[in-house]
């Protein structure tokens, strides 16, 4: 069952067409990896899903509700409701430096959702345990490694009980040895059947964890399929050329 349906999405910045009729679906519980060269529109596509970018045409449907239909956005109250079911993890963590790790986690559930202190505390402790950072609850982000910061950012996204998690190159700012600990946490979340859309350059991870891989180039979906189809038997020359560069 499709939980996200994107059809004919169009986005331009001035004269630059960044998304050209992008269409794809994500099923509930599925892990979809989006790969493609820098500048191909991956971030813009992901940001459009949570209304951080406004598109110029096409439709986005999340859990059978239109965020935007043929270029027309739903009202702002619905927009908030729909986008609040998606959590986003960015390349650069975006943690609040002046707040401790646990306060970073607890801020939005408390102030946006008005959840009780007891509930929020319980959940932050549980999620820090899940990402292996129970001992860092009272520490400020400045004291953490990049990998630890990103694991906090993942826990923070989970605090809102999202139905869908979106990741935009979550390990691109990390050294290789820190990348692994973050991928491990993401793999664990995937195994718990979270729906995940992951923009990544980690081809090994995409092959290992993704149910489906989408290759984007120049604002278009060029090819999509299982990891085996895309990595072992790409049909399109542009996919082949990209993988040759990315894997060697
Ligand atoms: P990717 O994530 O695949 O690297 P992006 O979605 O970030 O690609 O960018 C796609 C294209 O859109 C790039 O050419 C980029 O320079 C351009 N772009 C992205 N954001 C903006 C913006 N706010 N204003 C103008 N151009 C932008
Ligand atoms: Mg990007």
């Amino acid at each position: 069952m499709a939980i996200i349906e994107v059809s004919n999405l169009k986005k331009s910045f001035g004269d630059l067409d960044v998304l050209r009729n992008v269409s794809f679906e994500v099923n509930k519980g599925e892990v979809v990896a989006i790969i493609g060269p820098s500048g191909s529109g991956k971030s813009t596509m992901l940001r459009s899903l949570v209304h951080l970018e406004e598109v110029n045409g096409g439709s986005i449907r999340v859990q059978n509700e239109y965020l935007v239909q043929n270029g027309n956005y739903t009202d702002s109250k619905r927009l908030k409701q729909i986008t609040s079911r998606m959590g986003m993890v960015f390349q650069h963590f975006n943690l609040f430096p002046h707040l401790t790790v646990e306060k970073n986690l607890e801020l939005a559930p408390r102030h946006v959702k008005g959840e009780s202190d007891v509930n929020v505390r319980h959940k932050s402790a549980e999620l820090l345990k899940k990402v292996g950072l129970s001992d860092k609850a009272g520490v400020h982000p400045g004291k953490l490694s990049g990998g630890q910061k990103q694991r906090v950012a993942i826990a923070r996204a989970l605090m809102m009980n999202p139905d869908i998690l979106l990741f935009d190159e979550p390990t691109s700012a990390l050294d290789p040895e820190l990348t692994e600990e973050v991928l491990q946490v993401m793999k664990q979340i995937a195994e718990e059947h979270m729906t995940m859309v992951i923009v990544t350059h980690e081809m090994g991870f995409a092959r290992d964890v993704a149910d489906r891989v989408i290759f984007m180039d120049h604002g278009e979906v060029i090819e999509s399929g299982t990891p085996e189809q895309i990595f072992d038997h790409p049909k399109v020359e542009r996919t082949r050329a990209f993988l040759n560069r990315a894997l060697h």
Side-chain angles (χ1 to χ4, degrees):
M1 192 192 84
I3 190 166
I4 304 176
E5 297 167 76
V6 171
S7 45
N8 297 315
L9 214 60
K10 294 175 191 57
K11 170 73 180 172
S12 44
F13 291 110
D15 291 341
L16 184 67
D17 292 329
V18 175
L19 299 179
R20 313 169 192 229
N21 290 313
V22 168
S23 301
F24 65 92
E25 290 188 356
V26 178
N27 292 319
K28 192 168 185 302
E30 201 176 28
V31 177
V32 172
I34 300 183
I35 62 171
S38 180
S40 56
K42 306 180 300 295
S43 293
T44 304
M45 201 285 300
L46 215 56
R47 291 166 57 81
S48 300
L49 295 179
V50 286
H51 197 227
L52 289 171
E53 299 288 352
E54 201 136 298
V55 298
N56 306 112
S59 306
I60 300 172
R61 209 169 170 211
V62 179
Q63 293 169 320
N64 295 321
E65 272 190 88
Y66 282 106
L67 187 85
V68 53
Q69 184 170 21
N70 299 321
N72 300 308
Y73 277 88
T74 187
D75 61 77
S76 64
K77 190 170 164 229
R78 282 244 186 77
L79 269 178
K80 280 212 188 80
Q81 280 170 358
I82 297 170
T83 55
S84 73
R85 298 182 212 131
M86 293 180 273
M88 179 109 163
V89 175
F90 299 90
Q91 185 178 344
H92 291 293
F93 332 122
N94 302 355
L95 300 174
F96 293 110
H98 61 291
L99 297 179
T100 62
V101 164
E102 64 188 350
K103 291 279 184 287
N104 263 282
L105 263 63
E106 293 165 9
L107 191 70
R110 252 195 205 124
H111 295 282
V112 180
K113 281 185 142 184
E115 287 183 34
S116 74
D117 279 359
V118 178
N119 195 5
V120 163
R121 281 251 126 145
H122 177 78
K123 206 156 57 171
S124 67
E126 195 173 292
L127 286 171
L128 284 177
K129 188 170 169 208
K130 184 189 207 106
V131 301
L133 292 172
S134 293
D135 55 331
K136 301 294 183 191
V139 164
H140 284 78
K143 293 260 159 52
L144 302 178
S145 73
Q148 290 171 333
K149 282 183 203 166
Q150 194 57 297
R151 286 187 280 148
V152 171
I154 293 170
R156 183 179 56 176
L158 289 171
M159 284 294 287
M160 301 297 272
N161 300 323
D163 295 323
I164 300 162
L165 271 186
L166 311 175
F167 294 84
D168 193 0
E169 296 195 26
T171 61
S172 290
L174 303 178
D175 295 335
E177 65 269 28
L178 300 179
T179 293
E180 206 44 49
E181 68 188 43
V182 172
L183 295 180
Q184 208 50 47
V185 165
M186 292 169 64
K187 189 172 175 182
Q188 184 192 335
I189 296 167
E191 283 164 359
E192 293 167 8
H193 307 293
M194 174 65 81
T195 306
M196 296 162 78
V197 182
I198 306 168
V199 172
T200 185
H201 291 298
E202 294 292 330
M203 298 301 154
F205 176 77
R207 180 194 277 272
D208 187 24
V209 175
D211 299 302
R212 219 142 43 77
V213 178
I214 294 175
F215 171 63
M216 279 182 73
D217 193 14
H218 289 287
E220 292 177 291
V221 171
I222 304 298
E223 191 167 353
S224 80
T226 63
E228 292 72 27
Q229 283 168 339
I230 298 299
F231 291 118
D232 299 337
H233 310 285
K235 289 199 196 87
V236 183
E237 178 50 37
R238 273 153 91 178
T239 316
R240 247 175 259 146
F242 170 76
L243 289 173
N244 268 330
R245 284 197 306 275
L247 297 171
H248 300 289

